[in-house]
Amino acid sequence: MIELHYYPGNASLFPHMLLRELEVPFVLRLVDRDAGAQTSPAYLKLNPNGKIPVLIDGEVVIYETAAIALYLTDTYPQKGLSPPPGTPQRADYYRWMVHLSNTPQAEFRAWFYPHEFTTDPDGVAGVKTATGLRLSDVFGRIEGLLGAGPWLLGERFSAADLYLLMMTRWGRTLPNPIRDLPNLGAHAARVLARPAVAATFKAEGLEAPFV
Ligand SMILES: N[C@@H](CCC(=O)N[C@@H](CS)C(=O)NCC(=O)O)C(=O)O
């Protein structure tokens, strides 16, 4: 059975929501961050970067959140959570998945771990402030591109919407919370209304406000 190594609310939230949307049997394996389990020798064998999540599916051991999601939507194409390969919508899907991974998610790393982005202890606050400004800029553009949606791919719901919700949630800690942008706030409400998403939040013990 598929195993998802996770920690509540971490980047594993996206593949967790996706597994429930796909209705695939899986088990959750808690990575005990409080004990530093993500850097234990056993975990580093799964993900040498020492980051959460990891997904194991038989002989497949895969890390990097976006890669896990692409793997899952490819493995269960009949569930329709990604458009068919070789179509214009598939191009949009790839664009969103890669953009969300390499721009907002990477910026959130600097937001939550600013000390990693400077060698100057006095520089940490400045890193955080500058990252918050960049994130506002990034989500301002996403707000415009999303428009009325209702989904990132227009009328078609896809895994990318789950990815976006995870980051809207993370953005509740920003000086300008992402949920306050009208299109992104409405998008988050639509994704949160999905039963698989509600079940995921419940299983991880996440409490309101969700975004
Ligand atoms: N690019 C990686 C980043 C994963 C990442 O930064 N995960 C965080 C949790 S959201 C983590 O493992 N933090 C613990 C640590 O860095 O020690 C991915 O998408 O999987």
Side-chain angles (χ1 to χ4, degrees):
M1 193 183 297
I2 290 179
E3 286 179 30
L4 177 66
H5 291 251
Y6 86 110
Y7 187 87
N10 280 199
S12 42
L13 182 62
F14 169 34
H16 187 181
M17 290 186 282
L18 183 53
L19 285 163
R20 288 183 189 269
E21 284 281 354
L22 292 168
E23 299 175 305
V24 173
F26 66 97
V27 288
L28 290 171
R29 303 269 184 241
L30 180 69
V31 182
D32 186 358
R33 280 191 63 169
D34 300 333
Q38 72 274 25
T39 52
S40 69
Y43 192 82
L44 291 175
K45 276 192 196 151
L46 303 176
N47 180 353
N49 296 323
K51 301 283 186 291
I52 302 160
V54 168
L55 182 124
I56 304 177
D57 182 14
E59 64 187 25
V60 173
V61 178
I62 184 167
Y63 54 87
E64 284 299 330
T65 310
I68 292 170
L70 292 167
Y71 169 76
L72 287 172
T73 56
D74 280 358
T75 305
Y76 302 96
Q78 69 280 13
K79 299 287 183 176
L81 289 185
S82 59
T87 62
Q89 275 210 318
R90 182 72 166 204
D92 279 354
Y93 175 65
Y94 282 140
R95 177 173 55 81
W96 276 117
M97 294 292 280
V98 173
H99 177 69
L100 292 173
S101 174
N102 72 15
T103 305
Q105 189 183 346
E107 293 286 10
F108 271 117
R109 182 86 201 170
W111 176 251
F112 288 120
Y113 307 81
H115 55 278
E116 292 179 350
F117 290 75
T118 177
T119 52
D120 175 9
D122 294 334
V124 173
V127 167
K128 191 132 176 144
T129 304
T131 304
L133 292 170
R134 283 197 308 277
L135 275 164
S136 284
D137 199 42
V138 167
F139 280 96
R141 278 194 300 277
I142 294 176
E143 168 78 2
L145 291 167
L146 171 63
W151 309 115
L152 279 174
L153 301 184
E155 292 301 321
R156 182 183 187 121
F157 175 76
S158 75
D161 294 294
L162 302 170
Y163 205 178
L164 180 57
L165 173 74
M166 181 174 77
M167 283 186 258
T168 302
R169 172 176 166 77
W170 290 351
R172 74 196 185 290
T173 61
L174 291 167
N176 300 314
I178 297 170
R179 61 166 180 267
D180 291 345
L181 294 166
N183 296 330
L184 279 158
H187 176 268
R190 282 190 287 273
V191 181
L192 285 167
R194 297 180 71 86
V197 172
T200 307
F201 276 57
K202 190 170 178 208
E204 296 204 5
L206 304 177
E207 288 174 3
F210 297 130
V211 293

